[in-house]
């Protein structure tokens, strides 16, 4: 039962979440005593053979430039065809935006059991049981997959990247690319900013900042740290910040290494989108703010006094 891993990339670079999925897939293959094989659709700036250092033996590569843009239906077809040719297998995706779009489609094509939001390697002692987050990270569920094909969506930041020295055999995927049912008219990429879903560091502001005119301190702290900016929902609803910065249950779910929340109360709907962050720092003038319960570090104080001091401290540290 080989393990296949979908290799997600953007602007020529394999995404960090995908490197985690490769490491996870390689460890799973070792656990099952089988091989780990990547599937790469489109082109990347480095040699795909180098992905062997994340523990995979082979990379199936469809190098057509037209595949650089994610088309979930086309991707699902190519991945399902490649996997089904190998017989019973496990397919690993990162549970990021691309994985969320493609994994369920692949599962349908393969008639596979699907578990998304996985947070650990499956228990394969008796059957195939995957641990996943449920209720916005408040509990775990253990789901047994009983179908011959199995599809897993791994939560970003749930499995550490393991880098070695190996090299992968690159096998050209020659299957013809099915015609797309989607006609993309234009693409507008956010420029000059770290994309929120990829960011290692995020500085986020809430209603405690009083108005859009005060966002300078959030942006300045983000700039000195090299972080992306985010916000709570009421802030986006009030048009203080664009909606693509809104994190939470109804916004983007993120899992950075560091999340700094400034003037955000920590409502459960906000936490649902940020509680997978590795380290959470909360700055709030109310010591009773619920966010402090989820924080690794808390600063009780006025954001307008605390944040400028933090900016100066980071500048000093960097100089
Ligand atoms: C179905 C549903 C879905 C939702 N989805 C989301 C979602 O996806 N994301 C989301 O964020 N919310 C969501 N919400 C809204 C959520 O319930 C909260 O209302 C919202 O998160 C509160 O935003 P806030 O913390 O910025 O504002 P407030 O709750 O108004 O909190 C402001 C905080 O700033 C602090 N503060 C004030 N002044 C200062 C100062 N000078 N210095 C430091 N701290 C200060 C206050 O003590 C307070 O804790 C949803 C709600 C519902 C019902």
């Amino acid at each position: 039962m080989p393990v296949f891993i979908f290799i997600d990339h953007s602007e020529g670079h394999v995404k960090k979440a995908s490197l985690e999925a490769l490491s996870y897939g390689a460890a799973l293959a070792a656990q099952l005593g089988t091989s780990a094989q990547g599937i790469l659709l489109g082109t990347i700036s480095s040699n795909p053979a180098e992905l062997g250092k994340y523990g995979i033996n082979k990379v199936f590569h469809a190098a057509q430039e037209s595949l650089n843009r994610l088309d979930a239906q086309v991707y699902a077809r190519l991945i399902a065809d490649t996997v089904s040719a190998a017989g019973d297998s496990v397919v690993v995706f990162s549970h990021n935006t691309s994985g969320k779009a493609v994994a369920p489609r692949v599962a349908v094509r393969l008639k596979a059991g699907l578990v998304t939001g996985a947070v650990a390697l499956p228990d394969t002692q008796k059957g195939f049981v995957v641990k996943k987050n449920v209720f916005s990270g408040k509990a775990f569920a253990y789901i047994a997959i009983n179908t011959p094909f199995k599809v897993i969506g791994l939560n970003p930041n749930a499995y550490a990247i393991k880098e070695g020295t190996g090299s992968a055999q690159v096998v050209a995927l020659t299957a013809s690319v099915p015609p797309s049912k989607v006609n993309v008219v234009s693409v507008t990429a956010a420029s000059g900013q770290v994309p929120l879903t990829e960011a290692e560091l995020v500085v986020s502001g809430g209603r405690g900042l009083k108005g859009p005119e005060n966002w300078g301190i959030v942006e300045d702290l983000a700039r000195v740290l090299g972080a992306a900016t985010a916000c709570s929902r009421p802030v986006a609803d009030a048009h203080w910040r664009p909606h693509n910065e809104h994190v939470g249950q109804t916004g983007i779910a993120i899992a950075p290494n560091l999340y700094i929340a400034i003037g955000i109360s920590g409502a459960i709907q906000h936490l649902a989108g940020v509680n997978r962050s590795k380290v959470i720092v909360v700055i709030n003038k109310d010591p009773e703010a619920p966010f402090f319960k989820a924080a690794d570090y808390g600063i009780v104080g006025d954001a307008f006094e605390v944040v400028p001091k933090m900016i100066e401290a980071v500048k000093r540290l960097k100089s």
Side-chain angles (χ1 to χ4, degrees):
M1 189 194 281
V3 177
F4 288 92
I5 305 104
F6 168 62
I7 300 168
D8 189 17
H9 58 98
S10 167
E11 295 179 357
H13 300 289
V14 176
K15 292 183 185 170
K16 174 181 164 258
S18 225
L19 300 181
E20 293 166 0
L22 285 171
S23 304
Y24 177 92
L28 176 56
Q31 185 176 314
L32 295 171
T34 181
S35 64
Q37 314 184 359
I39 300 179
L40 173 63
L41 307 178
T43 54
I44 56 174
S45 49
S46 54
N47 181 350
E50 290 172 15
L51 294 169
K53 66 184 175 197
Y54 300 103
I56 57 170
N57 316 95
K58 253 187 212 172
V59 178
F60 290 96
H61 187 201
Q64 292 93 322
E65 298 253 331
S66 63
L67 290 168
N68 285 346
R69 184 181 63 76
L70 171 77
D71 183 322
Q73 287 164 325
V74 171
Y75 273 34
R77 168 92 174 270
L78 287 171
I79 295 167
D81 287 352
T82 307
V83 172
S84 59
D88 300 356
S89 358
V90 184
V91 195
V92 177
F93 291 83
S94 169
H95 192 46
N96 62 0
T97 315
S98 316
K100 284 177 191 172
V102 183
R105 290 182 159 94
V106 169
V108 168
R109 285 185 171 273
L110 296 173
K111 296 188 170 50
L114 164 74
V115 176
T116 57
V119 293
L121 284 169
D123 181 349
T124 52
Q125 300 274 337
K126 277 189 239 135
F128 194 98
V129 179
V130 186
K131 180 180 180 184
K132 68 166 282 178
N133 270 337
V134 288
F135 300 122
S136 302
K138 290 243 170 304
F140 296 117
Y142 295 84
I143 314 279
I145 307 182
N146 300 320
T147 46
F149 288 101
K150 305 172 199 316
V151 179
I152 299 175
L154 173 70
N155 261 352
N157 256 352
Y159 196 83
I161 297 169
K162 293 194 179 79
E163 202 175 318
T165 51
S167 172
Q169 179 196 354
V170 180
V171 180
L173 262 187
T174 49
S176 62
V177 177
S180 175
K181 293 179 182 160
V182 179
N183 180 22
V184 177
V185 179
S186 71
V187 176
T188 310
S191 61
Q193 291 167 343
V194 186
L196 199 45
T197 47
E198 287 293 301
E200 301 275 2
L201 313 174
V202 174
V203 180
S204 187
R207 217 152 37 178
L209 285 161
K210 318 280 188 249
E213 66 281 5
N214 295 326
W215 234 260
I217 53 170
V218 176
E219 287 176 332
D220 285 350
L221 183 57
R223 198 170 304 116
V224 293
L225 287 170
T229 49
C231 68
S232 65
R233 175 171 155 174
V235 162
D237 285 348
H239 305 293
W240 295 359
R241 299 296 291 179
H243 260 293
N244 61 9
E245 287 196 1
H246 152 201
V247 288
Q249 183 186 316
T250 46
I252 300 171
I254 55 171
N257 286 331
L258 175 67
Y259 182 73
I260 303 179
I262 306 170
I264 302 177
S265 57
I268 187 162
Q269 296 89 354
H270 185 85
L271 288 174
V274 303
N275 59 8
R276 286 191 289 108
S277 309
K278 269 209 183 121
V279 175
I280 296 179
V281 176
V282 170
I283 302 162
N284 198 303
K285 70 175 185 184
D286 175 8
E288 301 298 323
F291 219 150
F292 283 122
K293 290 203 181 92
D296 298 285
Y297 300 93
I299 303 174
V300 179
D302 187 329
F304 299 102
E305 289 169 18
V306 173
V307 178
K309 285 184 186 155
M310 285 175 82
I311 295 166
E312 286 315 310
V314 176
K315 279 185 185 162
R316 266 201 310 279
L317 205 71
K318 290 200 163 179
S319 67

